[in-house]
Amino acid sequence: MSQDIQALFWSYGYVGVCVAAGELALRGGLSRELARKIIHVGVGFWIFGTLGLFESRGLAVVPSATAAVANWYIHRKRLLKAVEAEPDNLGTVWFAVAYSLLVWLAWDRPAVAAGGVMAMAVGDAVASLVGRRFGRHRYETFHGEHKSLEGSLALCASTFVAVLAVLTWMPGVAPDMPRVPLALLCAVVATCAEALGTKGRDNLWVPLSAGAVLYLVPSAHAWGLGVGAGIALAIGVLSWTRGSLSPSGVLGAILVGTPVFGLAGAVGAAALLGFFISSSALSKTFRARKAGVEEEYAKTGTRDLGQALANGGVAAVAAVLLGVTGDARYSLAMLGALVAANADTWATELGVLSRSPPRLVTTLRQVPPGTSGAVSGAGLLASTAGAAFVGGVAVLAGAPVALIPWLVLAGVAGSLVDSLLGATVQDVRWCDACARETERRVHRCGRAARPLRGFSWLGNDTVNVVATAAGALVAFWA
Ligand SMILES: [Zn+2]
């Protein structure tokens, strides 16, 4: 028998033993969840057999590909008690599909395939067991599924350990690659993928995203991105427990923080922290004093994914472009986006405290505080101070002092673009019951607000993206 035929024989035999062990465990009184995990982890570890025994890539994917088809059939007919799950959960099928894809695509770099499969086999199993037993801080993901912070953090920690072990003992990633930060980045990315995956699709996204990190991240950026992802995760979770971010906002913090912390050096990290900490602190400090005014804005004290990306997305994209091209102007663009986000946030948080009524930026007509597109002396002062604050923090971290006037200009320009769009094209609504203008689709009184002016698709988040992009452009050409 040739090597590959023997390997096929061993593969089917091993998987058969795993499934039998799961069925026996179930009949022996173990919970269905635990029985499924025995199969899940056992089969996952076969990746080392697949990579070690097969000589041809084409035959190496045959067992997992046939398993994908078989699992689909088993799922449809509900043949195996141990692997049975909710009717629309195709987790076992996605498991086999991801396994096959990783073996096929990363055949020349075994550590990539093994790391991806281990993230799913070990990380996902630990997350599910810890989440069920110790999950206290629950959060809702898409389609109304619930996960727990404890489960997600357990997935992060166990994936880190599993991937680090793979990178230490298996060849196939660049030899000069720093292993610890790469495993950390892999773990954070897998954690986000698991939180987003529903109906068993986390079995597809966790291994593929972990494999993609191992495959794609260049060794020059591994330290930055790994440490950046770790810091972003820590800050995000801390902000969630303190009420500054919603669970989806934690994902936003990771998506923004990883490239900015990881690719834009101390200046980027300082500017992002300056923005995030000062705006969160202002929201908290003035929440009580502004009652009745701030509720008219779509933005509130607790920020979600959309708001995090609207404020930090442009800066994150600029940081990625900086990392890819090495062009220093993208560092300026990133700072411009962050000062604009901060200027606008400070203006919103502090401007509404102004004693004299604000005026609409287009007609200069006096309007009630909280009106979209309104500007006031106090607001302009606050946006200038907000831009100067983040610019100053960036200078302390090493940016040239001569940048400050440009950054203040970028910040105030971004803030004015925000007001201009707010007064013209932004979706602004009217609550008939309260006779008040609002940015919310459902007013705080609970009634639906009807469209007053602007485009219904152009909400506050889109306006923030345009405003921060304006700040980035001004700074880019500085
Ligand atoms: Zn109302």
Side-chain angles (χ1 to χ4, degrees):
M1 274 199 297
S2 84
Q3 174 73 23
D4 279 338
I5 301 298
Q6 287 186 51
L8 279 176
F9 175 79
W10 282 112
S11 298
Y12 287 115
Y14 178 83
V15 171
V17 168
C18 287
V19 173
E23 280 289 310
L24 277 178
L26 187 66
R27 282 171 201 181
L30 242 64
S31 74
R32 171 161 301 176
E33 178 68 15
L34 218 54
R36 284 178 64 190
K37 290 307 162 193
I38 287 176
I39 302 178
H40 180 93
V41 175
V43 170
F45 269 93
W46 187 246
I47 187 67
F48 299 106
T50 302
L51 296 170
L53 293 178
F54 281 95
E55 283 172 340
S56 106
R57 176 195 340 219
L59 284 171
V61 296
V62 167
S64 51
T66 50
V69 177
N71 284 342
W72 183 76
Y73 186 76
I74 288 167
H75 180 84
R76 286 293 296 267
K77 302 284 176 188
R78 306 181 83 70
L79 291 177
L80 279 175
K81 272 190 178 162
V83 292
E84 206 168 87
E86 304 80 51
D88 60 346
N89 187 321
L90 286 169
T92 55
V93 178
W94 295 127
F95 182 117
V97 168
Y99 191 113
S100 311
L101 282 172
L102 279 168
V103 169
W104 179 265
L105 294 172
W107 183 246
D108 302 325
R109 295 163 78 179
V112 172
V117 171
M118 280 296 104
M120 165 174 58
V122 178
D124 204 49
V126 172
S128 150
L129 295 178
V130 169
R132 267 159 207 264
R133 179 156 293 204
F134 301 105
R136 298 275 177 282
H137 300 81
R138 300 209 161 263
Y139 63 93
E140 192 176 331
T141 67
F142 299 122
H143 306 292
E145 278 190 28
H146 285 81
K147 313 254 176 182
S148 74
L149 175 65
E150 291 81 359
S152 293
L153 291 179
L155 180 137
C156 194
S158 56
T159 302
F160 172 74
V161 172
V163 172
L164 187 61
V166 166
L167 291 178
T168 305
W169 288 303
M170 282 188 85
V173 179
D176 60 336
M177 181 63 85
R179 293 190 297 265
V180 171
L182 189 64
L184 183 57
L185 180 64
C186 221
V188 174
V189 169
T191 306
C192 294
E194 201 270 342
L196 290 175
T198 53
K199 299 187 195 301
R201 255 167 273 161
D202 44 340
N203 276 357
L204 184 66
W205 298 125
V206 168
L208 288 187
S209 63
V213 167
L214 295 175
Y215 200 88
L216 295 174
V217 170
S219 51
H221 291 314
W223 266 111
L225 289 174
V227 174
I231 295 173
L233 174 72
I235 292 176
V237 169
L238 198 69
S239 307
W240 174 25
T241 59
R242 293 171 56 87
S244 302
L245 288 175
S246 72
S248 81
V250 178
L251 177 66
I254 292 168
L255 289 173
V256 170
T258 303
V260 172
F261 290 142
L263 301 171
V267 170
L272 180 58
L273 285 176
F275 159 61
F276 183 73
I277 294 173
S278 75
S279 54
S280 303
L282 281 184
S283 302
K284 275 210 144 129
T285 311
F286 294 106
R287 192 173 287 174
R289 279 179 65 188
K290 286 188 312 223
V293 175
E294 94 152 353
E295 283 95 340
E296 305 305 344
Y297 287 105
K299 35 190 147 187
T300 59
T302 305
R303 286 169 172 78
D304 62 15
L305 174 65
Q307 287 160 317
L309 291 182
N311 280 304
V314 172
V317 169
V320 169
L321 291 172
L322 173 68
V324 171
T325 66
D327 186 338
R329 286 178 302 173
Y330 288 117
S331 174
L332 298 179
M334 177 205 65
L335 287 177
L338 288 175
V339 294
N342 204 51
D344 184 47
T345 308
W346 281 35
T348 306
E349 301 289 353
L350 296 170
V352 291
L353 303 171
S354 168
R355 280 166 204 276
S356 56
R359 293 170 182 276
L360 208 61
V361 69
T362 43
T363 61
L364 297 183
R365 177 169 59 86
Q366 277 200 353
V367 286
T371 306
S372 298
V375 290
S376 64
L380 275 174
L381 203 63
S383 68
T384 308
F389 175 77
V390 165
V393 168
V395 166
L396 288 179
V401 183
L403 267 185
I404 289 209
W406 286 104
L407 291 178
V408 169
L409 185 68
V412 174
S415 190
L416 283 177
V417 165
D418 191 288
S419 301
L420 203 58
L421 295 177
T424 53
V425 289
Q426 182 179 348
D427 180 31
V428 173
R429 285 159 186 267
W430 184 263
C431 176
D432 287 314
C434 311
R436 286 193 79 142
E437 205 175 273
T438 179
E439 290 181 351
R440 292 167 173 259
R441 282 167 181 264
V442 177
H443 196 225
R444 62 194 157 101
C445 64
R447 291 183 183 83
R450 65 177 170 85
L452 180 65
R453 61 168 194 268
F455 301 109
S456 63
W457 51 268
L458 195 81
N460 186 64
D461 287 347
T462 316
V463 167
N464 271 341
V465 171
V466 177
T468 51
L473 275 179
V474 170
F476 185 83
W477 298 113

